[in-house]
Amino acid sequence: MKKLKALALATSVFVSLGGAASASTLVYCSEGSPEGFDPAPYTAGTTFDASSRAIYNRLAEFKHGSTEVEPGLAESWDVSDDGLEYTFHLRPGVKFQTTDYFTPTREMNADDVIFSFMRQMDESSPWYQYAPGISWEYFNGMSMPDLIKSIEKVDDMTVKFVLNRPEAPMIANLAMDFASIMSKEYADQLEAAGNLEQLNQKPVGTGPFTFVNYQQDAVIRYKANPDYYKGQEDLDTLIFAITTDAAVRRQKLEAGECQIMVYPAPADLEALESNDDITVMAKEGLNVGYLAYNTKVAPFDNPKVRKALNMAVDKQAILESVFQGAGEVAKNPIPPTMWSYNDDVQDDPYDPEAAKAMLEEEGVTDLSMKIWAMPVQRPYNPNARRMAELMQADLAKVGVDAEIVSYEWGEYLARSSAEDRDGAVLLGWTGDNGDPDNFLAVLLGCDAVGGSNRAQWCYKPFEELIQKAKVTSDTEERTELYKQAQVIFKEQAPWNTIAHSKVFMPMTNSVEGFVMDPLGYHRFDDVTIAE
Amino acid sequence: MLRFLFSKLLLIIPTFIGITIVAFGFVRVLPGDPVLLLAGERGMDPDRYQKLLHQFGYDRPIVVQYLDYVWGLLHGDFGVSIATKQPVFQEFLNLFPATAELAISAMLLAIIIGIPAGIISAVKRGSVFDQATMGIALTGYSMPIFWWGLLLIILFSGILGWTPVSGRISLLYYFPSVTGFMTIDSLLSGEKGAFTSALSHLILPSVVLATIPLAVIARQTRSAMLEVLGEDYVRTARAKGLSGRRVIGIHALRNAMIPVITTIGLQVGMLMAGAILTETIFSWPGIGKWMIDSISRRDYPVVQGGLVLIAGLVMLVNLLVDLAYGLINPRIRHQ
């Protein structure tokens, strides 16, 4: 009898263990708290990972692991010949998530799409200011209010965007986080209950994971969305363990308290790579780190002077000592993983002798300049101060006296934008949507002078090419235009292009199917945990 | 006693005004601008910047902003976070239990170990125990919390694997928050193993946070004890033939505890300062971590509101200590 009891007990333990094991859970050690769960008002990748990429979908989506765009909630789209009308045919049968605070009664339709955009555009909508101090950073930053003339409902499953001017990256823009599709039905319920702010705290989307609960600064829980239009995910539970300190994230990963960690400290990489239980994935980041001269101020208004200064800097040495080899020297303003990258462009060679001669030829002697070093660490520049010091030493060799300055980050960003700014600025960029326009126009276009164009560079031949590419919908033609633009960029040298860095993701060997995203998102759809 | 209480309360008003000025001034003296940080590398055109500045009310004269802020405080309005768009007071309430749980367990640890250690050191003055205790106390007092915390994590979590690395409970447990105290909620949840998990998560952060108060309390207890043991009435008690235990336990201890209680009260402020670093290292979701995150974002309303709330709390605890002090030592309240 005793034996039988023991057997029964053993069986029940076995069964319950079996039950526990079949529910697969992934714990991701993330680096910070999301600002909210409505992605549109925010700009931080941390927020997008927790909201738009887990919970929502968009009309068009980035292919997993690529910057190419594929159909999402829109099955297909037509663009009119003049490039002013985009008609989206919505995917039928897509359900919004059922949660303990909302049960959808209908499937996704044109009303949801219109609501999602109009709340960011229509100042008279109660949703335009639905929480105190809310503002639509990306929507405005991408000039959407000027670009979009109207959004019309053709029928329940068809939506037409009418533009004021052609915009080639339009589809890529609509794959960005601010364009996530919200449920109008849910919004209406919240509006009726006078509880608008809940939209930002208890999200409802159509995406792979359903929001369960958020404990501020600690943990976010999701479960697989059983109604997901691509089919339910293998992971039953997804947990974001918010761990701000990189050293602690590493300890948690090694102790098995999480299976994936983000942003390891460069100093920890070697130890992580030598751990047999851990795989460290690496990918070229979609970024560029650069030194922007002020092309409006003498002698930096002379392209030959800028070129000479570029030739004086040993970028290979910077790559080794600042990036510790995790990246590659940049020659173009866009990274090599981006379409239309012009590999034929020749980089300015490292040649201090020639640089010195060139400067003398241009009558530049005893030049004193400032190099601005960012006070923060960024993927495209892990240590700006060190980088500036190396440049300072290199420039001294050609007789240029460089002084390193720095400001608090917000101040740095603001002051470096000023058109009469003194000195050359270290900065960089990580792509938002995989379109070259997002680099070339945002960082080097005439409209961006005084803003994100830190070189204050407005050069007509370059500007004409990128403007033409912006309104051309044929990708081959655009590629050609952007390639030409890169040649002109190199000739004119408004920047010293320094590096494209590598991004690392350490994870335990049990994680399968994780793909590193070129745009820097952390997505857990299609990920499984090996038993 | 009522007069005593009244005079203490009266002192709170100017202190509170001082705190509001410091908290308000603090974030504005720091370089940086929340609106600019919002824009990031993308930058922001001047029109939009002005519009946002206006929306947040930061384009008004500084005095108007201050008066508006104080007016809000008087009505219980602590403002709305720029980053999360949530009311500051609500966030504080959500996060406070985590800090309270950590602070209480750290303080208990500091008292339970610190007072007996101090007493024994005083009684056995000059002994090996005394010297060792005071040596450790000095080390503990001068230990950089950040380094100490990481060291303990690497040793006890990384190498030995005895304690969890960070957080408040294993993430596999999931139950609703009732009191906000994880140790209590885990018991209420009825989930097997949850309480042990919560407790094991509490150990390292409590030890780290307790380190400085423990050192201070042990040293204060020792010196207070030494002073009292040298007094005439203790010598009289001894001469009357009372046992050493009775002399120390009843006559000396009661009087020696008066400065120690003050010290404990003052340590509440230290505890809040320590919590800021401890919570950051251990990913402990409390108000310390909240403040650090908000300062780096220049989230004016949170930093202002948070500082006032924390200062108010410390003042309240100090008031209670003063009252306790008055109860133990009647002479104080007549002074």
Side-chain angles (χ1 to χ4, degrees), chain A residues 45 63 69 71 85 126 150 160 190 209 236 267 371 397 410 461 467 505 530:
Chain A
K63 255 186 210 164
V69 174
E85 288 186 9
S150 64
K160 187 159 79 179
L190 293 179
F209 297 99
D236 297 299
I371 297 180
K397 286 179 204 154
Q467 286 303 336
M505 283 297 279

Side-chain angles (χ1 to χ4, degrees), chain A residues 35 42 129 132-134 138 201 212-213 216 218 221 241 243 248 251-252 257 378 380 408 414 432 452 454, chain B residues 32 36 41-42 48 52 55 83-86 91 146 154 158 164-166 171 173-174 281 283 285 298:
Chain A
E35 298 149 297
Y42 305 108
Q129 268 282 343
I134 217 160
Y138 254 111
Q201 292 143 25
V212 175
N213 156 285
Q216 194 174 339
R221 278 167 202 284
T243 313
V248 176
Q251 292 295 335
K252 287 185 89 156
E257 288 177 35
R378 275 291 186 272
Y380 49 73
E408 183 278 331
D432 293 308
S452 50
R454 257 76 184 196
Chain B
L36 287 175
E41 281 95 323
R42 179 168 285 279
R48 204 159 156 65
L52 278 177
Q55 197 181 329
T84 63
K85 325 289 180 207
Q86 300 278 310
E91 290 200 349
F146 210 85
I154 291 170
V165 180
S166 71
L171 296 175
Y173 295 106
Y174 173 50
I281 308 166
S283 309
R298 303 291 186 273

Side-chain angles (χ1 to χ4, degrees), chain A residues 29-32 218 241-246 248-249 252, chain B residues 166 281 283:
Chain A
C29 273
S30 70
E31 79 285 12
I242 298 166
T243 313
T244 38
D245 190 87
V248 176
R249 283 200 295 278
K252 287 185 89 156
Chain B
S166 71
I281 308 166
S283 309

